[in-house]
């Protein structure tokens, strides 16, 4: 397996634009997590899914953020409209079951200007 | 929910010396404690983990200890090498929340 795959690797967008980040988890993994990493706040969990169902989205900053997992092999994180304070590295991670190693994707570095 | 505190935020050691990073957690029901290493511009990767039924685990130069009573766990790296320089994150899970809660990270620098 190629591991968790995220796209794009880098995204630069203007304030107010819609941004969509994509993630393909490791095949067979039941859990998928979206994290945001910044210098100020470290690694923050935004939302996680179990068997494609969103379980906890309490970390989603506000209504501008939404996430979906239409099937076991694909998830998206959307920001609409984007703001400069959304600039960060967004990581997707997956794990086989709960309470085990989470495998991280390479991340998407988002810059909103 | 779970709260994980990590210290120190930065640590510099001479090559060959040992490094110790400490974390405390708040949820006494947490039972899984992994440590991740993140090199500059890379993804976090698991280096070692421990479960609550074990007090210590060792893998070559890396060891983790867990004190459930005090709710703290530590990462020990012996004979440090320049390639150990990275940010290290502790995490906890298994309590009221199923997701990993991460500490704030420790920037380890190994000086040659």
């Amino acid at each position: 397996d190629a591991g968790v795959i995220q796209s794009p690797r880098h995204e630069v967008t203007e304030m107010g634009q819609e941004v969509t980040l994509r993630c393909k988890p490791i095949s067979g993994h039941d859990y998928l997590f979206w994290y945001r990493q910044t210098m100020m706040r470290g690694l923050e969990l935004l939302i996680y899914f179990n068997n494609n169902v969103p379980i906890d989205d309490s970390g989603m900053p506000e209504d501008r953020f939404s996430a979906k997992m239409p099937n076991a092999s694909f998830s998206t994180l959307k920001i609409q409209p984007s703001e400069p304070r959304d600039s960060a590295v967004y990581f997707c991670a997956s794990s086989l079951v709960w309470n085990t190693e989470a495998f991280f994707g390479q991340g998407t570095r988002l810059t909103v200007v | 929910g779970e709260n994980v505190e990590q210290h120190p935020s930065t640590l510099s050691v001479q090559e060959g010396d040992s490094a110790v990073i400490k974390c405390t957690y708040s949820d006494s029901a947490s039972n899984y404690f992994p440590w991740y290493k993140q090199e500059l511009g890379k993804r976090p990767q698991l280096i070692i983990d421990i479960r609550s039924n074990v007090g210590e685990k060792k893998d070559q130069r890396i060891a983790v200890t867990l004190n459930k009573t005090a709710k703290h766990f530590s990462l020990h790296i012996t004979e440090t090498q320049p390639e150990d320089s990275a940010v290290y994150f502790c995490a906890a899970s298994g309590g009221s929340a199923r997701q990993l809660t991460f500490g704030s990270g420790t920037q380890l620098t190994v000086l040659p």
Side-chain angles (χ1 to χ4, degrees):
Chain A
D1 201 313
V4 177
I5 299 173
Q6 291 185 247
S7 64
R9 292 291 310 279
H10 302 274
E11 177 80 35
V12 180
T13 190
E14 291 186 347
M15 183 173 63
Q17 295 298 306
E18 177 180 296
V19 175
T20 299
L21 311 181
R22 297 173 176 80
C23 175
K24 181 180 187 308
I26 294 173
S27 177
H29 280 196
D30 285 346
Y31 284 81
L32 183 139
F33 308 89
W34 282 100
Y35 286 92
R36 177 171 68 176
Q37 186 174 36
T38 61
M39 288 295 292
M40 291 298 295
R41 301 175 68 89
L43 269 167
E44 301 175 273
L45 179 72
L46 301 177
I47 185 172
Y48 80 93
F49 296 82
N50 175 214
N51 291 325
N52 314 339
V53 177
I55 302 300
D56 185 351
D57 65 354
S58 60
M60 297 286 261
E62 47 200 271
D63 292 345
R64 297 185 297 106
F65 285 68
S66 62
K68 294 181 179 179
M69 192 165 186
N71 57 62
S73 59
F74 184 65
S75 177
T76 59
L77 178 68
K78 185 177 294 186
I79 308 171
Q80 166 63 20
S82 57
E83 297 182 2
R85 61 192 167 118
D86 301 331
S87 298
V89 178
Y90 290 81
F91 284 104
C92 175
S94 70
S95 67
L96 185 62
V97 295
W98 80 292
N99 238 16
T100 58
E101 179 181 1
F103 293 83
F104 283 77
Q106 291 182 295
T108 294
R109 181 174 295 278
L110 173 65
T111 304
V112 183
V113 298
Chain B
E2 177 67 276
N3 182 46
V4 177
E5 295 193 356
Q6 183 171 346
H7 300 281
S9 57
T10 61
L11 178 62
S12 292
V13 299
Q14 291 294 137
E15 183 176 356
D17 286 351
S18 295
V20 180
I21 302 170
K22 299 182 179 182
C23 289
T24 60
Y25 61 99
S26 61
D27 188 345
S28 57
S30 289
N31 56 17
Y32 177 61
F33 307 94
W35 286 88
Y36 284 78
K37 176 184 180 182
Q38 185 178 27
E39 297 176 349
L40 189 62
K42 301 287 182 63
R43 76 189 84 187
Q45 291 189 289
L46 182 78
I47 54 171
I48 194 167
D49 57 12
I50 192 168
R51 296 191 181 272
S52 58
N53 57 346
V54 175
E56 183 174 358
K57 185 177 179 180
K58 194 172 182 180
D59 182 5
Q60 299 183 335
R61 297 186 297 107
I62 294 173
V64 58
T65 59
L66 171 64
N67 183 327
K68 283 215 70 179
T69 303
K71 289 190 285 188
H72 68 70
F73 56 113
S74 302
L75 178 71
H76 305 253
I77 306 174
T78 58
E79 301 172 23
T80 53
Q81 301 167 3
E83 52 265 37
D84 295 330
S85 295
V87 178
Y88 292 80
F89 292 94
C90 62
S93 73
S96 58
R98 294 198 161 198
Q99 69 274 23
L100 286 172
T101 299
F102 284 87
S104 54
T106 296
Q107 173 69 63
L108 173 64
T109 303
V110 179
L111 305 169

